C-alpha cells in the first residue's frame, strides 16, 4: 500500500534515522550528547530559516489570502484545546491542572515538528504556502493563553464557592482572585509573545518579507542550503532526550499514551481536510494539518511551569516529546501526505461533500 | 580586618523557579544575588541534561539575619509544593555590611 | 523558621573522578548531590582548559552528620592516591531534614 | 538624493535588519539570545575569514604598497586619539581616566564593524585592498598603548607634584612610579598583542598569504561563502547587547552622545580622503575610513579594564557599542561610500587640491 | 575522621578582576584556588549576559587563618575602589591541612 | 627528494598551518581559544561525516571484502600493544601501570588523525576504501580492553603472590580479585562501546549505508562540503592544547619522546605494507597505516583514567597529543603516502617478496 511505502521511505531519511539513532544512543546509556550551546542555537537557527523563507514567499503572494486560513487555524486550535480538556478530565480522570496543561500542550504547535515537515515536503518535491510560518507564529501562544485563562477561572470559581459556604459578604476576596488571574494572564501573554521562538520567527518573517529573494541571496547558503543538515544534527539531540524519557512513558499511563497518538491523528487529518477545503495546496494542507497535530515540547514547559505550576511537567513533556513527536514525524506525516494527495486529486467542490460525508 | 557576621542563603532549584525566587527576594527588598546553573541528582532523578527547562540553578544570597526567616518562610510556603527546591543557610563573615 | 543542623560536604576533583565519588555515595545510600564544572589551580597546575577530560568538577552533598565520617574516609582511602581531589566540610542549616 | 537611497538600501540588508531586530528583541525583554559559545566563536571565525582573505589578496599584490597606508593609518590613529582626549577632557569635562579610556576606544578599531564593511562592499559589488586586514591588525593596539602610556605619565606626574609639595628628597618614589608605569605598559603591550583578535587575524593573514587562492579552495565554503550568514547571526547578538544598553545611554549624557556620532564621521571622512590621496581604490578608501571611524567594543573593555581600571567601563562600552556602532554601519558607511565615489570620480591630482581646499 | 579548621574565602567579582585577585594571592604565596563563571545582580545591575568582559566570576580559596586577614586587606585596598567585588569568609573543615 | 616535497606541500595546507598557528598562539600565551561547546561538537561532527561517507561507500562495494582487513587490523593492534608494553616496561623502565596505559594509547586509534588523513588524501586526489571507517570504530576499544585485562591480571597476580607468602589458604581473596577484574573489564568494555566516538561513528556508518548516495544528497553540504573547513577550526584548538602541553614534554623524558616518534613510524609503515599485500588501494593503505600509527588522545584519558587510575595521565596525553599527533599528520602521513605509492607501483606478488626482503 502507498501509505506504508511512504512511511518506510520517510523512515529511511537521515532526519528520522538520526532521531532513532539518538534514541538508541540514550538507551544504551552512551555519553553522546550535542553540546548545550549547539542545541540551544539550532532551534533559533531553524526558526530564523523558516521565517525568512516564509517572509520571502509572502512577499511574492501577498498576505491577503493568509487571513482566512489563519483565523480558521486559531479557531480550530481553541476548539481542539477545549476538546482535549474534556477528554483528559472526563475520560482520563486527570486533575484540572494536568488536564489544562496537557490540553494546551496539544493545542499548541511544535516548531521542530514544523521544520521536519518542511524537509519532508522538500524530499517529496512539494512546496507549501509561505504564510504557514506566520500561522505557526500566531498559533504558538493561542492555546496556552486559553488554557491559562480557563485554569485561573476554574481556580477562582473554586475559591469563590468555598468562600460562599463560609460567609456571604467577602466578594472582595473574589475580586482579588479575579485580579490575580488578570495579572497572571497578562504576564503569561507577555512572556509568550516575547518568548524567543515567536520573536525570532516573527522577526525573520518580517525581514524575509522586506529583503525578498534578492536580498536573501548572500545568506541563502546559511539559511537555506544548511537547513536539512542542521535539522539532522538537532534530531540527534532530540532523539537522545526522547530516549532518556522512554522510561517515564510507563508513568504516563495507557490513557495518555493512547491520547498522545489518537488525538494528533484526529487533529491532523481534520487540519488537512479543512485546509484543502480552504484552497491550500497539497503541501500546504499537510503543513496545516501538522500545525494542528503537533504538540509543543520546547515552549510548553517554559510557559506552563509558570502559568500552571501545579501541573506535573513530566506528564506533558514526556507525552509530547517521547510519544507524539516521533509518531508525528514518522507515521502521521506520511499519512497526512497521503490524505492530502487523495483529496487534492478531486475537485474542490466534491471534496467538501467528501469531507461532510466522511465526518458528519 | 574585622569581619561582620551575616547569613548566606543558598537555594538549589529547577531553573524555571528562579524567577519566582527573585520575585520573592524583591518583595523583601533584596536585590543582590549570585546564580549559576548546576547539575544534580535527587528524588526527581538526574537533572541538568537535555532541554533547558529541565535544568537546576543555584541562587546565593548574602543577607542580614533579620530578613532570613521571613524569606525562607515565603519560599517554603509558595514554592515548596510545586517546585523542585532545596535550600540551606550558612554563617559567613563579610567586610562591608553596608552592601547587604 | 526552625533550621536543623546538617553537614555540607564539598568535593573539588578532576571530572573523571566524579563517577567514582557518586558510586561511593551510593554505597552509603546517598543519592542527592549537586555538581558543576569549575576551573582551578593547584599542585597539578592550571586546570579547566582544553580537553574535556582535564577539567575539574565540584560535587556538593548535604548530609546528616552520622554518615559524614564514613563517606570522607572512603573517599580518602580509595581516591586520594590516584585522583586530584580536595574536600571540605561546612555546617549548614536546613528547613526539611527529611530530605537528607 | 543618492546618499539617502544608499542608506535606505543598506538599511534593508539582512545584516542591518537583524541588528535592528536584536535591538527590538532586547527592548521588548524577549529571552532571545545567541548562546555564549556561538557568540564567542563568531568573532574568531570572522577574523579568520577576514585574515585569510586579506592574506590571499596580499599574495597577489605584494606588500610593498601596504607600507605607506599603514604608517599613515597609525599616524592618524595616534593623532585622533590625542584629539579625542583634548575634546573629552576640555570640552566634555571628563576626568583624566575616562578621557583617556574613551579617547583610545575611539582611536582603536572595531573588527565587527570591519566585517560589516566588507559585506557592505560585497553588496555594492566593490572590492578593497587585501592589506587593509593587516592594517586592522596593527591598528588594534596602537591607540590603547598610547592612551595607557599617557595615562600613566599623567598619574606619575600627579604623584610627583604631590610628593614635591611634601618633601624634596624622595625621587625614589617617583622612580618607582615610573617603573610601575613601565611594567604596566609592557604588560598591556603584551596583552594587546597576544589578544585573541590580533592573534587570529595576523595568523590568518600569514596563512592566507602562504596557501594562496589554490590552497584556500577546499575551505572557501566555510571561510568565504558562509561569511555573510555568519555576520547576520552575530548581528542578532550585537543588536541584543546594544538594545540592553540603550537605557545606559541616558547616563552617557548629551556630550558623549554627540561625540560618539560626530567624531567617527569626522575621522571616517578624513580617512576616506587621505587614503584616496594615497591611491587606494574606491572600496579600499571606504574601509580605510571605516577603520578610523570605528570604535573598539570587544577588545576595549578587556584591555582598558586592566590598564585604566579607574575609568568607568560603562561609558566607553555603551557609547561605542550602543551609539557609534549602529551609526557607523547604518549611516556612516553609506556616507563614506558616497564620498569615496565622489572623490574617485576625479583625477588623483585634483583630489588632493580638493582635499586641501575643503579642510585647510 | 579528624577535620582541621581552615578558612574558605569566597570572592564574587567581575571577570576582568580575576587576574588581579590571583596576582594578589600569588603575592601571599597562595596558588590554589577554584573558580567558575556566575551571573548575578547587585548595585551595578544584572550581570552575566552579553559580552564576555561583563561577566562575574567566583573565586574560592581555602587557606589557613593566618593569611586570611592580609589577603582580604590587600584585596580591599587595591581592588574595592575600581572593581565590582564581593567577598565573604566561612569556616570549613578539611582532612589534609598540608595541602593549604 | 619526493618525500620532502610532499612533507613541505603538506605543511603548507590550511589544516597543518592552523595547527601550528594554534601551537604558537598557546606559546605566546594568547587568550585565543575555541569555545568548549564548539570543540566538543566538532569531533562528533567529524565522526558523523566520516561514518556517513564510509557507510555510503560500503553500500557501493559490499562489506565482504572488509572482513580480512579488519581482522588483520585487530590482530596487528593487539600485537603492537603487547610490543609497546615490552618496550616501555623493559627498555623504558616505566612501571606496570604507565606501561600498559601508554601501550594501549598507542595501540588504540585517533579519530582526529583519521580525519586529517582523509583530508590529506582528498588533497592528493586519492580515494580510500569506505570500510576503513568501520575498522576505525572497531579498533577503538580493542587495545584498551587488552591493556586493561592484562593490567588487572598483573595486579591479581601480585596480590596472589603477596598473599601466598603470608598464608596458603585464602584463595577466596584471589577469587575476589578475579571477580573485581571481571567487573571492571565488563564495565570498561561497556564504557568503551557506548563511548560517544564509537556510537556516533557506528551509527553514521549504518545510516550512511541505509541512505546511500541519493539520501545523502540533501545533507551533503553540511556533512561533506564543510568537512575540511571544520577540521581547520578544530585544528586551531588541537594546536592550542598541544602548545599548552609543550612544557610537559620535558617531564615526558627522552625515552618516551623517542618512543612517540619511532613507534608510530614503525607501526604505520608495517600497516601500509600489510594492507597493500591484502590488496588495499594506494589511499586505503595509507589510511590503514595511519590507523595503526595513530595514538588515541581524546578517548584514552576517558577510558584509562577509570580503568588504570594508577597510571599518570600526563604521560599518555602529552606524548600522544603533543608529540605523536603533530608528527603523524606533518611527517608520517607524507612518508606513508610515499611508501604506499612506491609499493603500489609494483605487482602485488612482487610486493610481498619486497616486504619480506626488507623486514625479515
Ligand atoms: N543531599 C543533597 N545534597 C546536595 N544537593 C541535593 C541533595 N538532594 C538534592 N539536591 C539537589 O536538589 C535538586 C532537587 O532535588 P530533588 O527534589 O530531591 O530531586 C537535585 O537535582 C540536586 O541538585
Ligand atoms: N587552596 C585551594 N582552595 C580552593 N581550591 C583549591 C585549592 N587548592 C586546590 N584547589 C582545587 O583543587 C584542584 C586540584 O588541586 P591540586 O591537586 O592541588 O592540583 C585545583 O585545580 C583547584 O580547583
Ligand atoms: N547580597 C548578595 N548576595 C550574593 N551575591 C551578591 C549580593 N550582592 C551582590 N552580589 C554579587 O556581586 C556582584 C556585584 O555586586 P554589585 O557590586 O552590588 O553590583 C553581583 O553581580 C552579584 O553576583
Ligand atoms: Na497542536
Ligand atoms: Na577608530
Ligand atoms: Na595505533
Amino acid at each position: 500500500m502507498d501509505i506504508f511505502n511512504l512511511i518506510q521511505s520517510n523512515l529511511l531519511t537521515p532526519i528520522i534515522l538520526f532521531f532513532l539513532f539518538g534514541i538508541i544512543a540514550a538507551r544504551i546509556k552512551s555519553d553522546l550528547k550535542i553540546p548545550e550551546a549547539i542545541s540551544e542555537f539550532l532551534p533559533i537557527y531553524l526558526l530564523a530559516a523558516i521565517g525568512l523563507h516564509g517572509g520571502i514567499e509572502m512577499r511574492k503572494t501577498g498576505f491577503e489570502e493568509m487571513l482566512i486560513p489563519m483565523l480558521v487555524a486559531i479557531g480550530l486550535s481553541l476548539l481542539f484545546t477545549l476538546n482535549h480538556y474534556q477528554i483528559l478530565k472526563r475520560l482520563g480522570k486527570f486533575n484540572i491542572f494536568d488536564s489544562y496543561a496537557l490540553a494546551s500542550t496539544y493545542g499548541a504547535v511544535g516548531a521542530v515538528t514544523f521544520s521536519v515537515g518542511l524537509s519532508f515536503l522538500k524530499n517529496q518535491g512539494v512546496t507549501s504556502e509561505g504564510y504557514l510560518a506566520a500561522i505557526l507564529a500566531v498559533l504558538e501562544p493561542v492555546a496556552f493563553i486559553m488554557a491559562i485563562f480557563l485554569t485561573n477561572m476554574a481556580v477562582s470559581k473554586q475559591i469563590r464557592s468555598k468562600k460562599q459556604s463560609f460567609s456571604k459578604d467577602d466578594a472582595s476576596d473574589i475580586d482579588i482572585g479575579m485580579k490575580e488571574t488578570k495579572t497572571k494572564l497578562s504576564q503569561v501573554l507577555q512572556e509568550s509573545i516575547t518568548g524567543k521562538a515567536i520573536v525570532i520567527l516573527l522577526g525573520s518573517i518580517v525581514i524575509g518579507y522586506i529583503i525578498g529573494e534578492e536580498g536573501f541571496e548572500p545568506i541563502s547558503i546559511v539559511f537555506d542550503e544548511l537547513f536539512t543538515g542542521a535539522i539532522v544534527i538537532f534530531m540527534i539531540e532530540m532523539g537522545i532526550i526522547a530516549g532518556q524519557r522512554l522510561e517515564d512513558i510507563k508513568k504516563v499511563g495507557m490513557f495518555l499514551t493512547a491520547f498522545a497518538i489518537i488525538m494528533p491523528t484526529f487533529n491532523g487529518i481534520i487540519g488537512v481536510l479543512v485546509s484543502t477545503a480552504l484552497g491550500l495546496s497539497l503541501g500546504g494542507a499537510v503543513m496545516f494539518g501538522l500545525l494542528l497535530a503537533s504538540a509543543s515540547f520546547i515552549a510548553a514547559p517554559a510557559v506552563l511551569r509558570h502559568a500552571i505550576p501545579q501541573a506535573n511537567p513530566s506528564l506533558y513533556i514526556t507525552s509530547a516529546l517521547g510519544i507524539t513527536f516521533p509518531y508525528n514525524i514518522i507515521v502521521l506525516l506520511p499519512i497526512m501526505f497521503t490524505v492530502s494527495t487523495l483529496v487534492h486529486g478531486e475537485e474542490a467542490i466534491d471534496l467538501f461533500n467528501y469531507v461532510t460525508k466522511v465526518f458528519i | 580586618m574585622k569581619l561582620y557576621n551575616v547569613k548566606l542563603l543558598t537555594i538549589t532549584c529547577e531553573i524555571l523557579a528562579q524567577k519566582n525566587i527573585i520575585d520573592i527576594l524583591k518583595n523583601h527588598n533584596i536585590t543582590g544575588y549570585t546564580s549559576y546553573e548546576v547539575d544534580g541528582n535527587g528524588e526527581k532523578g538526574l537533572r541538568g541534561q537535555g532541554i533547558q527547562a529541565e535544568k537546576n540553578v543555584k541562587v546565593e544570597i548574602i543577607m542580614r539575619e533579620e530578613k532570613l526567616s521571613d524569606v525562607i518562610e515565603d519560599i517554603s510556603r509558595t514554592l515548596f509544593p510545586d517546585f523542585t527546591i532545596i535550600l540551606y543557610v550558612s554563617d559567613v563573615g563579610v567586610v562591608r555590611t553596608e552592601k547587604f
Side-chain angles (χ1 to χ4, degrees), chain A, chain B:
Chain A
M1 227 219 92
D2 217 11
I3 267 192
F4 286 107
N5 277 340
L6 201 57
I7 290 180
Q8 196 188 345
S9 91
N10 179 38
L11 200 58
L12 301 185
T13 54
I15 290 179
I16 306 298
L17 289 172
F18 271 105
F19 177 71
L20 297 175
F21 162 73
I23 292 180
I24 295 170
R27 297 316 299 164
I28 62 173
K29 303 219 173 302
S30 167
D31 60 344
L32 180 71
K33 70 172 210 288
I34 304 296
E36 206 181 296
I38 310 285
S39 53
E40 261 175 44
F41 174 65
L42 282 173
I44 298 174
Y45 161 79
L46 294 177
L47 287 165
I50 292 173
L52 284 170
H53 179 77
I56 292 168
E57 291 302 312
M58 281 165 75
R59 183 195 180 97
K60 286 193 212 149
T61 59
F63 46 99
E64 313 78 37
E65 55 173 87
M66 169 177 91
L67 198 69
I68 306 286
M70 182 174 284
L71 291 177
V72 172
I74 293 173
L76 283 176
S77 172
L78 293 176
L79 218 70
F80 287 171
T81 303
L82 288 175
N83 186 31
H84 301 157
Y85 174 76
Q86 296 299 335
I87 292 173
L88 290 159
K89 186 88 202 326
R90 306 238 164 137
L91 300 180
K93 308 285 178 218
F94 287 98
N95 69 39
I96 169 174
F97 302 114
D98 287 337
S99 297
Y100 273 123
L102 279 163
S104 60
T105 299
Y106 280 86
V109 290
V112 184
T113 318
F114 193 84
S115 310
V116 176
L118 287 182
S119 268
F120 173 87
L121 288 187
K122 218 181 193 176
N123 230 26
Q124 305 294 333
V126 168
T127 59
S128 60
E129 282 77 3
Y131 60 70
L132 286 158
I135 300 188
L136 171 64
V138 172
L139 234 47
E140 268 260 339
V142 162
F144 289 132
I145 288 167
M146 186 171 67
I148 291 155
F149 179 75
L150 294 175
T151 312
N152 286 317
M153 283 293 98
V155 172
S156 301
K157 216 162 130 191
Q158 281 185 342
I159 295 171
R160 199 181 330 182
S161 60
K162 223 179 260 171
K163 296 266 156 161
Q164 284 178 336
S165 59
F166 282 100
S167 66
K168 299 263 168 206
D169 48 14
D170 43 50
S172 61
D173 274 22
I174 300 161
D175 285 355
I176 290 171
M178 292 297 295
K179 218 172 131 196
E180 259 179 28
T181 300
K182 272 187 206 152
T183 325
K184 222 176 178 179
L185 249 183
S186 79
Q187 240 180 45
V188 166
L189 189 64
Q190 205 217 306
E191 262 175 45
S192 295
I193 294 178
T194 63
K196 51 185 157 199
I198 293 187
V199 165
I200 186 77
L201 188 53
L202 283 182
S204 304
I205 291 174
V206 171
I207 293 175
Y209 191 89
I210 295 175
I211 59 175
E213 200 95 55
E214 197 192 344
F216 183 63
E217 212 270 333
I219 58 172
S220 79
I221 181 161
V222 167
F223 289 101
D224 181 23
E225 295 180 41
L226 299 183
F227 188 70
T228 310
I231 297 181
V232 160
I233 292 164
F234 193 56
M235 291 305 273
I236 298 176
E237 182 67 14
M238 285 292 99
I240 292 172
I241 298 175
Q244 287 167 343
R245 296 202 154 262
L246 277 194
E247 267 138 35
D248 292 356
I249 289 184
K250 294 170 216 149
K251 298 182 209 153
V252 152
M254 266 307 290
F255 183 85
L256 191 47
T257 305
F259 178 92
I261 286 176
I262 297 170
M263 220 57 235
T265 314
F266 176 80
N267 295 354
I269 291 178
I270 296 277
V272 172
L273 298 177
V274 168
S275 58
T276 306
L278 292 175
L280 271 79
S281 68
L282 195 167
V286 173
M287 293 310 291
F288 193 96
L290 194 58
L291 280 174
L292 294 170
S294 68
S296 165
F297 49 83
I298 294 188
V303 173
L304 293 176
R305 204 74 192 94
H306 282 132
I308 316 181
Q310 306 92 336
N312 176 1
S314 184
L315 282 184
Y316 51 82
I317 300 177
T318 304
S319 57
L321 176 58
I323 305 171
T324 303
F325 177 62
Y327 171 74
N328 275 352
I329 60 172
I330 298 176
V331 181
L332 186 56
L333 206 43
I335 291 180
M336 291 194 302
F337 189 81
T338 312
V339 172
S340 187
T341 312
L342 227 72
V343 293
H344 275 84
E346 313 178 28
E347 297 295 306
I349 204 85
D350 285 349
L351 164 73
F352 211 67
N353 289 328
Y354 178 89
V355 174
T356 18
K357 260 184 250 152
V358 173
F359 279 89
I360 304 169
Chain B
M1 200 108 209
K2 172 105 189 67
L3 292 176
Y4 301 89
N5 289 332
V6 294
K7 294 288 179 179
L8 171 65
L9 171 63
T10 304
I11 302 164
T12 308
C13 63
E14 58 176 303
I15 201 163
L16 290 177
Q18 181 173 5
K19 206 176 155 298
N20 307 49
I21 285 168
I22 289 165
D23 285 346
I24 291 175
L25 292 175
K26 231 177 255 164
N27 290 344
H28 292 86
N29 291 318
I30 298 172
T31 53
Y33 65 87
T34 297
S35 68
Y36 45 102
E37 293 180 4
V38 296
D39 295 343
N41 196 41
E43 284 161 29
K44 312 243 165 48
L46 214 60
R47 296 176 59 88
Q49 284 147 345
I51 28 178
Q52 169 79 16
E54 291 279 277
K55 275 191 293 194
N56 285 350
V57 77
K58 255 174 92 177
V59 183
E60 297 171 346
I61 312 106
I62 305 169
M63 59 171 93
R64 297 173 183 233
E65 183 145 20
E66 299 97 78
K67 293 187 174 176
L68 185 67
S69 198
D70 289 350
V71 169
I72 294 180
E73 218 154 77
D74 248 26
I75 292 177
S76 311
R77 208 191 52 242
T78 57
L79 303 182
F80 275 12
D82 296 328
F83 291 100
T84 299
I85 293 191
I86 278 199
L87 62 78
Y88 56 84
V89 177
S90 28
D91 294 305
V92 298
V94 297
V95 182
R96 303 179 283 187
T97 42
E98 67 281 8
K99 286 229 52 151
F100 309 101

